[in-house]
């Protein structure tokens, strides 16, 4: 018997699951918290879509995967093919493995990879900028400081939202944990948390920059304005 393969890729920052479920007429049984599952009639293939923007294809041939993504585009669901080509994983299923649990693990692994890369870029830029400020190589430009803080705050908001979408599922927990160990998800979560703590410390150094109380108030006011855009996105 030929082994079934799971292919997972990240196609968007977020997926509008309610809209997708409505337009593809997904039955209520296929709707879960943070994801939806669509199965074919004979149960040989299925696709899991996650709110974080990842899609796991179970038993799909490459051309069938392409056709499904094209259907999403036809239904006015944005698909970022360049993003999908950069962040993806695949796995052959063992006979005893739970398909849904394996799909969940791959989606979380792909999402973690995207967050790891983005956080590393934000940290590199923040540390480099702070080093230049400390050496006096940048003039006291509060707008540049507040812009850097806004970028860091924006990532913190996105990462908090992304991590909330990656909570371990209540269903198939034992099966999920067995596969998750292979992808070192717990260790990767811990490293990500440590880097987020480092980002907090760097942001604190930026907030101290300026010296005088008036300048500090101006920095915080600009940070509030700049950060309000991603905050409003979450609220709306």
């Amino acid at each position: 018997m030929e082994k079934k393969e799971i292919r997972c890729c990240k196609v968007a920052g977020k997926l509008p699951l309610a809209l997708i479920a409505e337009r593809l007429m997904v039955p209520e049984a296929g709707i879960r918290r943070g994801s939806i599952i669509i199965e074919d009639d004979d149960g040989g293939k299925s696709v899991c879509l996650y709110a974080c923007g990842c899609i796991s294809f179970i038993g799909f041939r490459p051309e069938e995967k392409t056709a499904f993504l094209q259907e999403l585009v036809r239904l006015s669901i944005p698909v970022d093919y360049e993003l999908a080509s950069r962040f993806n994983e695949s796995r052959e299923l063992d006979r005893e493995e739970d398909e849904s649990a394996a799909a969940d693990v791959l989606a979380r692994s792909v999402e973690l990879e995207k967050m790891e890369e983005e956080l590393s870029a934000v940290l590199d830029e923040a540390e480099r900028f702070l080093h230049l400020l400390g050496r006096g190589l940048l003039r006291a430009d509060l707008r540049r400081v507040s812009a850097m803080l806004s970028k860091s705050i924006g990532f913190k908001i996105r990462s908090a939202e992304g991590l909330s979408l990656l909570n371990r599922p209540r269903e198939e927990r034992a099966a999920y944990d067995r596969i998750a160990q292979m992808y070192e998800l717990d260790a990767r979560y811990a490293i990500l948390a440590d880097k987020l703590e480092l980002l907090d410390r760097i942001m604190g150094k930026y907030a101290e920059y300026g010296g005088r109380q008036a300048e500090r108030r101006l920095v915080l006011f600009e940070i509030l304005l700049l950060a309000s855009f991603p905050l409003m996105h979450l609220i709306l």
Side-chain angles (χ1 to χ4, degrees):
M1 179 180 175
E2 186 178 353
K3 283 189 175 182
K4 192 176 291 187
E5 186 175 31
I6 297 181
R7 295 182 175 90
C8 180
C9 59
K10 185 169 178 65
V11 302
K14 292 169 62 177
L15 283 174
L17 295 186
L19 180 62
I20 294 173
E22 177 186 348
R23 295 188 175 177
L24 293 180
M25 294 181 289
V26 178
E28 187 173 343
I31 300 175
R32 304 185 301 176
R33 182 176 178 271
S35 66
I36 56 177
I37 301 175
I38 305 171
E39 297 181 341
D40 65 359
D41 294 336
D42 60 9
K45 301 172 187 174
S46 59
V47 58
C48 303
L49 300 95
Y50 299 86
C52 63
C54 294
I55 303 179
S56 290
F57 299 89
I58 304 173
F60 275 57
R61 295 190 299 272
E63 62 272 18
E64 293 172 328
K65 170 188 165 184
T66 299
F68 183 85
L69 294 178
Q70 289 173 342
E71 178 64 12
L72 290 183
V73 172
R74 190 186 70 80
L75 295 173
S76 300
I77 308 298
V79 171
D80 188 334
Y81 289 99
E82 192 276 332
L83 189 67
S85 68
R86 289 177 55 205
F87 299 101
N88 59 81
E89 292 191 36
S90 62
R91 172 182 178 82
E92 280 193 348
L93 281 170
D94 294 332
R95 291 181 180 178
E96 66 275 10
E97 282 185 344
D98 183 278
E99 293 182 2
S100 179
D104 287 347
V105 170
L106 253 66
R108 284 157 175 75
S109 181
V110 169
E111 179 66 12
L112 265 177
E113 182 184 359
K114 175 66 168 62
M115 294 176 66
E116 289 161 351
E117 180 177 298
E118 186 176 359
L119 177 55
S120 293
V122 171
L123 273 175
D124 288 345
E125 184 176 356
E127 289 180 314
R128 183 169 59 252
F129 192 61
L130 187 62
H131 179 65
L132 292 174
L133 282 172
R135 294 176 59 192
L137 298 180
L138 292 176
R139 64 186 181 88
D141 186 340
L142 292 177
R143 289 187 179 277
R144 295 182 69 177
V145 175
S146 59
M148 187 65 245
L149 268 168
S150 179
K151 181 180 293 187
S152 300
I153 292 170
F155 176 79
K156 287 279 291 183
I157 293 169
R158 293 193 301 276
S159 64
E161 186 179 37
L163 288 172
S164 71
L165 295 172
L166 294 177
N167 289 334
R168 184 171 60 176
R170 295 179 181 179
E171 305 84 2
E172 305 98 18
R173 179 165 291 185
Y176 173 91
D177 286 344
R178 282 195 299 272
I179 305 170
Q181 289 178 359
M182 303 176 191
Y183 289 84
E184 301 180 325
L185 291 191
D186 287 343
R188 290 166 66 187
Y189 279 133
I191 293 171
L192 192 69
D194 288 342
K195 288 185 176 181
L196 285 170
E197 185 178 343
L198 174 59
L199 184 59
D200 278 339
R201 293 202 297 270
I202 293 175
M203 288 168 62
K205 292 295 183 183
Y206 280 143
E208 293 172 6
Y209 180 73
R212 293 191 299 273
Q213 187 66 31
E215 289 180 330
R216 190 173 297 121
R217 283 199 298 266
L218 178 58
V219 170
L220 294 175
F221 179 69
E222 290 184 350
I223 292 168
L224 179 61
L225 288 177
L226 289 165
S228 66
F229 294 101
L231 282 171
M232 286 303 296
H233 173 71
L234 289 182
I235 293 170
L236 296 175

